[in-house]
């Protein structure tokens, strides 16, 4: 009898604890979305210069670099936005002695806030010495602020959705119970047409065909609200 009573007591306690853990609140589960497209205003462009032979005369990397540095300065680009990213044996004395026709190269990184300056810079550099250009990366200067704003708008959209849904059945929105957010940002890739090689150096630098599409940011907020009593 005592054993049976003990089992019944344990069972009652377990049922009570289970009932306490069950969320009996009335609630509504909604999702809000906020999206925006922006044009990149930070473009990191890589430029590769290489020495070349003009008949018997070699146009050196120092000459080409001087042209590039002058062009960057004339375009009003800050010094901090113009850096050397890679060097390919341009000062390799042993290699030059072994092969007098050795053509050295250097790679540079240029940060632009105005894409029109891309053409301005390259048009002032000997096109035969420009081996290749490419967009390394790009970004939007106010990305952090924009993301914060979109998260808030997505949450407000979720709240508005819950409010009008509950209003349609004569219910009122209560306090939020749970909020989760997720991001889906699209950075399209770009490949500029201009890419010189030592075998084909007649491509006009001024006719760049870089045309930036927008960066699409999308935020989704999943929210659970309590239905007011």
């Amino acid at each position: 009898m005592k054993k049976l009573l003990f089992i019944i007591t344990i069972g009652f306690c377990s049922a009570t604890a289970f009932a306490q853990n069950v969320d009996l609140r009335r609630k509504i589960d909604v999702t809000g979305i906020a999206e925006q497209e922006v044009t990149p205003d930070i473009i990191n462009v890589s430029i590769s210069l290489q020495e070349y032979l003009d008949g018997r005369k070699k146009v050196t990397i120092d000459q080409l670099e001087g042209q590039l540095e002058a062009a960057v300065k004339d375009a009003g680009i800050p010094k901090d936005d113009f850096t050397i990213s890679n060097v390919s044996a341009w000062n390799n004395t042993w290699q030059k002695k072994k092969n007098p026709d050795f053509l050295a190269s250097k790679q540079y990184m240029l940060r632009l806030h105005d894409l029109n300056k891309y053409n301005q810079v390259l048009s002032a550099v000997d096109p035969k010495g420009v081996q290749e250009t490419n967009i390394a990366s790009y970004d939007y200067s106010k990305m952090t602020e924009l993301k914060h704003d979109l998260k808030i708008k997505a949450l407000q959209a979720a709240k508005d959705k819950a409010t009008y849904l509950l209003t349609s059945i004569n219910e009122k929105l209560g306090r939020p119970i749970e909020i989760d957010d997720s991001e889906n940002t699209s950075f399209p890739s770009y490949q500029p047409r201009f890419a010189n090689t030592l075998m084909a150096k007649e491509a006009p630098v001024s006719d760049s065909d870089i045309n930036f599409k927008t960066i699409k940011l999308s935020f989704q907020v999943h929210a659970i609200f309590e239905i007011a009593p």
Side-chain angles (χ1 to χ4, degrees):
M1 184 66 180
K2 289 182 180 181
K3 183 177 180 181
L4 178 60
L5 181 60
F6 176 75
I7 294 174
I8 294 174
T9 302
I10 291 297
F12 176 76
C13 292
S14 299
T16 302
F18 178 76
Q20 290 175 347
N21 291 329
V22 174
D23 189 353
L24 301 177
R25 293 173 296 182
R26 299 188 306 154
K27 50 195 174 184
I28 182 171
D29 191 323
V30 292
T31 298
I33 299 174
E35 298 178 333
Q36 187 170 335
E37 294 185 1
V38 294
T39 301
D41 60 1
I42 299 175
I43 306 102
N44 296 310
V45 180
S46 64
I47 301 173
S48 178
L49 300 181
Q50 186 167 31
E51 297 176 335
Y52 70 93
L53 297 175
D54 186 6
R56 294 185 177 181
K57 180 183 177 183
K58 177 185 288 188
V59 178
T60 67
I61 198 70
D62 290 336
Q63 293 174 291
L64 296 170
E65 184 176 74
Q67 294 175 8
L68 182 58
E69 288 179 341
V72 169
K73 183 178 180 181
D74 291 342
I77 299 172
K79 290 183 178 180
D80 292 343
D81 289 343
F82 176 58
T83 57
I84 297 175
S85 61
N86 190 25
V87 178
S88 178
W90 71 280
N91 60 349
N92 192 328
T93 305
W94 177 84
Q95 185 79 348
K96 290 181 179 181
K97 287 182 178 180
K98 182 180 179 181
N99 180 12
D101 294 331
F102 174 77
L103 301 177
S105 64
K106 292 178 75 173
Q107 289 76 44
Y108 308 83
M109 189 64 67
L110 190 62
R111 172 166 289 191
L112 302 173
H113 299 277
D114 179 1
L115 198 56
N116 293 323
K117 292 186 181 294
Y118 171 82
N119 289 337
Q120 181 181 343
V121 169
L122 287 189
S123 64
V125 180
D126 185 347
K128 291 183 180 181
V130 181
Q131 184 183 34
E132 184 178 11
T133 67
N134 188 40
I135 294 177
S137 62
Y138 52 92
D139 206 344
Y140 181 63
S141 59
K142 298 181 180 178
M143 185 66 76
T144 300
E145 295 90 333
L146 181 59
K147 286 183 176 182
H148 289 171
D149 183 57
L150 289 176
K151 286 182 180 182
I152 292 173
K153 287 182 177 179
L155 179 56
Q156 290 174 337
K159 181 181 178 181
D160 290 343
K161 181 187 292 186
T163 299
Y164 74 71
L165 287 174
L166 290 176
T167 300
S168 67
I169 56 174
N170 297 319
E171 296 283 359
K172 292 184 179 180
L173 186 68
R175 63 186 181 85
I177 298 174
E178 183 179 326
I179 297 174
D180 294 310
D181 69 279
S182 60
E183 176 184 354
N184 182 20
T185 300
S186 174
F187 283 79
S189 60
Y190 296 85
Q191 293 184 346
R193 291 182 182 176
F194 178 71
N196 262 351
T197 66
L198 292 176
M199 299 300 295
K201 296 178 179 289
E202 302 303 323
V205 178
S206 58
D207 292 334
S208 166
D209 190 40
I210 301 177
N211 182 24
F212 268 93
K213 296 180 181 179
T214 55
I215 300 172
K216 184 176 181 180
L217 293 95
S218 178
F219 281 90
Q220 180 173 297
V221 170
H222 169 237
I224 301 175
F225 295 92
E226 189 174 7
I227 300 175

